[in-house]
Amino acid sequence: MTIPTVTARATAPPGTISTGTASRLPDTRTAADTLAVDGATDATFRRARQMSERIEADLRVDPTAYRVVTGDRPTGDLHLGHYIGTLANRVRLQNAGVPVTVVIADYQVITDRERPGPLRDRVRALVADYLAAGLDPQRTAIFPHSAVPALNQLLLPFLSLVSVAELHRNPTVKAESLASRRTLSALMLTYPVHQAADILCCRGTLVPVGKDQLPHIELARVIARRFNDLYGTVFGEPEALLSSAPVVLGVDGAKMSKTRGNTILLGADEDQTTAAIRAARTDGLRRITFDPPARPSVANLLTIVGALSGREPARIADEIGDGGASVLKALAAEVINESLRGLRARRRELLADPGYLDEVLLDGTVRASVAAAETLERVRAAMGMDYFSG
């Protein structure tokens, strides 16, 4: 998941007046106006990129003005793509002083599969990965959204704010339903609305995402805006914080994905990692150059080395020169193993203490439950459903 101008702060969204009534003009835009049919539109992406630059500058001045909400589905072990693409950024934001909430979206596991699998073990492994990567449970709340009833109850009013046609047009829903090879379930169709509940229940204002997730954030903004227009201002409109991290390809040259089996797992040992890198696809040219369009597999290994070592991929390529793919692969294996050595040791220690991992989840669930209950109370009051408030 998987995440604002000054509207990212804990204030009313732009263009609304906090009167506490429903007397303002309703938002007449549809989600189709703000969601791209086949992915984020250029205009949406440009806006998100410009906003992300402003947010990064704002974070350096006052990081506590934002509330980050992000998360993952517990469908399997995390891999190197997750670490470079999301985990390192979450740790960076946390260490900068931004309040961070990480949602383990366990209900969403069954959007595209019949059975959830060994969820308890997978959730514990996910928590271990988070902590081993540097997330601090004293500063970052981690919880499974199935354990927070108030969060899931927000789905009901939120579902009333979007149409079935709008949900069918969501590009992520379309792509994931095609990839799952299953009949589209109602849970899959409403997946973006559930994600909006994840974000808004904890008063999230900033959601770190890649370009492909922008439609979800746009829908969360639409839902927040429509609720405010109907019932009075309760929600701020969350903003996307576009990741500057590169997309990491798998060892077969396709996007690194658990379903493809082309990953380098964070929990793999060094021998397994070295073997996977040796088997990685490259090309027949001996001289190593950084040319992503023409040589994507070679560029991918250079990108990984650069991301983990803080160096420019092109400069690494120049240093290898005519050394060829064998030198590049040896360097990549060395850098990956060295970069993940401490994380892997911490991960093993954490997995050996499942009681501690459960305590982290329980503490995060208590904190999230308090925030979600307060949000639900405000929602009920705005809708005139606070029957027992006196």
Side-chain angles (χ1 to χ4, degrees):
M1 324 95 259
T2 44
I3 100 189
T5 61
V6 178
T7 61
R9 304 169 187 268
T11 59
T16 62
I17 303 172
S18 184
T19 62
T21 71
S23 60
R24 67 181 64 84
L25 292 174
D27 173 29
T28 58
R29 287 172 289 179
T30 67
D33 293 325
T34 50
L35 299 182
V37 174
D38 295 314
T41 63
D42 288 341
T44 300
F45 178 66
R46 284 197 301 272
R47 176 194 173 279
R49 184 171 58 188
Q50 292 168 357
M51 189 64 67
S52 294
E53 292 172 356
R54 293 174 60 183
I55 290 168
E56 289 287 0
D58 202 22
L59 284 172
R60 290 190 286 271
V61 177
D62 185 8
T64 62
Y66 296 82
R67 299 189 188 100
V68 165
V69 176
T70 183
D72 301 286
R73 295 197 307 163
T75 55
D77 292 338
L78 297 187
H79 53 67
L80 185 63
H82 292 121
Y83 179 75
I84 293 174
T86 59
L87 279 180
N89 193 40
R90 294 172 188 175
V91 174
R92 176 185 72 89
L93 292 167
Q94 169 198 265
N95 292 344
V98 183
V100 177
T101 297
V102 180
V103 182
I104 298 177
D106 49 349
Y107 271 143
Q108 291 173 9
V109 170
I110 53 174
T111 56
D112 59 357
R113 61 202 69 203
E114 293 180 358
R115 294 180 177 83
L119 271 182
R120 183 183 292 272
D121 291 340
R122 286 177 176 171
V123 168
R124 282 174 175 163
L126 204 53
V127 176
D129 284 333
Y130 293 157
L131 302 187
L135 288 180
D136 179 357
Q138 299 299 315
R139 293 183 285 172
T140 295
I142 304 168
F143 72 96
H145 68 185
S146 67
V148 182
L151 181 160
N152 296 290
Q153 193 167 337
L154 286 175
L155 270 176
L156 293 175
F158 285 2
L159 284 170
S160 73
L161 300 171
V162 294
S163 70
V164 172
E166 287 171 326
L167 293 175
H168 275 292
R169 285 194 292 266
N170 185 284
T172 307
V173 168
K174 291 198 297 184
E176 292 187 4
S177 63
L178 288 172
S180 70
R181 300 178 182 177
R182 294 181 63 210
T183 301
L184 180 66
S185 70
L187 186 58
M188 171 62 84
L189 185 64
T190 57
Y191 171 74
V193 184
H194 202 174
Q195 192 172 75
D198 289 337
I199 298 167
L200 296 174
C201 88
C202 296
R203 316 290 291 174
T205 56
L206 191 59
V207 188
V209 293
K211 181 179 179 180
D212 60 338
Q213 285 289 309
L214 282 177
H216 284 295
I217 309 307
E218 290 297 329
L219 184 59
R221 290 170 57 81
V222 167
I223 288 172
R225 188 184 310 126
R226 288 178 178 172
F227 187 94
N228 293 338
D229 285 341
L230 282 170
Y231 302 112
T233 300
V234 171
F235 298 108
E237 295 181 28
E239 289 283 359
L241 180 64
L242 282 174
S243 172
S244 59
V247 175
V248 176
L249 302 181
V251 294
D252 61 353
K255 182 178 179 181
M256 191 172 287
S257 166
K258 290 176 280 190
T259 57
R260 289 181 177 272
N262 63 358
T263 63
I264 298 170
L265 297 178
L266 295 185
D269 62 35
E270 296 193 5
D271 289 340
Q272 291 170 328
T273 298
T274 300
I277 292 297
R278 282 176 180 165
R281 180 179 299 173
T282 51
D283 57 35
L285 299 179
R286 180 165 184 81
R287 183 164 186 81
I288 299 301
T289 59
F290 184 66
D291 187 354
R295 309 181 70 187
S297 297
V298 170
N300 182 56
L301 291 177
L302 291 166
T303 296
I304 291 172
V305 173
L308 294 176
S309 63
R311 302 167 63 200
E312 289 297 324
R315 183 176 293 275
I316 298 168
D318 289 342
E319 292 174 359
I320 296 174
D322 292 326
S326 61
V327 173
L328 172 59
K329 290 180 178 182
L331 176 62
E334 178 184 353
V335 169
I336 293 169
N337 283 329
E338 182 177 340
S339 299
L340 296 183
R341 191 167 292 136
L343 181 153
R344 287 167 167 170
R346 292 191 297 273
R347 185 180 189 273
R348 288 192 295 269
E349 293 173 0
L350 288 161
L351 287 174
D353 190 357
Y356 173 69
L357 299 176
D358 291 346
E359 288 176 9
V360 169
L361 278 177
L362 179 59
D363 178 70
T365 298
V366 169
R367 291 153 66 184
S369 295
V370 170
E374 291 175 352
T375 300
L376 183 59
E377 184 178 350
R378 295 186 65 191
V379 166
R380 285 173 169 163
M383 298 178 72
M385 295 179 180
D386 52 341
Y387 306 120
F388 312 111
S389 60

